[in-house]
Amino acid sequence: MNPKTFISLITVLWSGACSSIVIPDKSLVIEKDMSIYYKNIGMKYIFYILIFCFPLSCNNTTSRLKPNSQSDIDTISITQGLKNQIEEFKLSDVVKEIEIIPLETCPKSIFKFIDNIIVTENDLFVNARISVLRFDRKTGLFINQIGSRGQGPEEFISCAGIGVNETLKNVYVFSSEDNRIQIYSFDGSFISSKQLLLKGKTTVGSQHEENRTYTFWGDKHMLRRMLPLSDGSKDFWSVQMQDTSGNILAKFYDPLNIGFEKEMRKKQIDGKNTVYYYWTEDSPVFNRYKNSVHFLFDSNDTIYKFNNQSYVLKPHYFLDCGVRPSVSSIRQLSKDRSFFDYTFVKNMWETKDYLFLLAEHDRYISLLRYDKVSKETVSIRAEGEIKNSPVMQILYREVPVPRFTNDLSGGLGFFPYFQNEHQWITMLDAEDLLEIDLNELEQDNLIFPNERDQLIQVLKRMKLDDNPIIMIATLK
């Protein structure tokens, strides 16, 4: 099919209000509003055709979203799953082993925030924003600090993400202010520094519990970022992968943004509307389970599977979330109250039998469980409220996350704040742990009574200003 015929076909299929969509090949332009796609589930396959026909390139490496056959794409009914509510999700359904690790509290190991935790065979590496702390995995004892905050050649301005190379015994610390990787040995000795991106280009990631700016996996440096509208960037990639020599392996772009480059650049220079009408996007969700790797772009309705050999993303799951709002309202920072009535999937976790999804809708956050075999979707949910921020006067959702019932070791519910290819990791603060009724915990009939007894002993010694307890759940 020649380009003119193809464009004519798509133009006929897509009817609606006119708005320019610029495909990465800048010579090809289609005049239609992409919000039509989000209002009609059946149009998603046309979108995949678009992405397939116009690959997204970086340097000499072509990285693109490729279409699957219709039979390869499973549709998950989020709307139906939200209606199919059950009482609880048990941790034992997906986890075979659990570790309880109280992190030692001493003058050198005290921290306020945890942005990420890296688990190795013998160690825990904690990204505490202003420092990286190494603890013994078995005992939780503090071993050493890695690097320090500063602007010297062996320091980092801030810790926007960490990675660990167990083979080389290296720790990578990424500083988003200068887009530089500082490399240290496990004992904290400085080794070298490497510039991953040009200085001045914004690589700020997510403000969620897990920092979604920098990850090291499979001998690759991976950067995920929100839209870089404050630095004048013309290249709006959402994911970039580099090898350890600094060669760019792949770039991926959020499909929702394709065709709206003009609008995004207008927001860059429109100083009057910087706060309330900012074109905004969170960094993508990245999930690993054994050899399976998935990406979910912010506020999209498709989960893509990553091929580690061809560096291609293929649609794997389509998320039926019901009616979609317009793209501009999705990307606008200041939301109307009606916007919160729409449903969006914000996170995902894969296990052997299930795919778990975190969805936001109205005053609720729901945790959904999709059965890979039966295709059934059920959910549990937590309720909160829609609030107005006192500083910026922007509406936001304040809701606690739903948690798994910990029927393995007992105590508080389990939520996987951090993850790797075979483990979920959570942190439990002393303030919350001290509210546990120890007498009731002692009477609970649990699958791992020894771990329950270990938890009880830890709680008996715990003080309010102690570091958190880390729980590592090994997946089936």
Side-chain angles (χ1 to χ4, degrees), residues 192-242:
S192 62
S193 179
K194 182 176 296 185
Q195 197 75 39
L196 288 192
L197 297 171
L198 294 176
K199 294 181 180 180
K201 298 302 180 183
T202 304
T203 49
V204 177
S206 172
Q207 299 302 315
H208 288 68
E209 291 83 3
E210 179 181 7
N211 189 293
R212 301 203 307 237
T213 301
Y214 170 80
T215 308
F216 181 81
W217 68 285
D219 291 329
K220 294 184 288 290
H221 299 293
M222 184 176 74
L223 297 172
R224 290 175 286 167
R225 64 176 180 176
M226 299 183 284
L227 281 174
L229 299 185
S230 61
D231 65 5
S233 293
K234 302 301 181 184
D235 188 4
F236 297 128
W237 56 263
S238 297
V239 181
Q240 184 180 117
M241 297 180 185
Q242 296 185 18

Side-chain angles (χ1 to χ4, degrees), residues 97-101 137 423 451 454 470-474:
E97 181 182 331
I98 195 162
E99 302 170 56
I100 301 169
I101 308 169
R137 176 172 171 178
Q423 294 165 330
E451 281 73 7
Q454 178 192 356
I470 302 302
M471 284 192 178
I472 302 173
T474 301

Side-chain angles (χ1 to χ4, degrees), residues 89-113:
F89 291 154
K90 293 182 178 180
L91 197 59
S92 62
D93 290 338
V94 295
V95 169
K96 63 180 181 181
E97 181 182 331
I98 195 162
E99 302 170 56
I100 301 169
I101 308 169
L103 299 182
E104 180 187 10
T105 305
C106 65
K108 292 184 178 180
S109 71
I110 294 175
F111 56 87
K112 186 176 182 180
F113 302 103

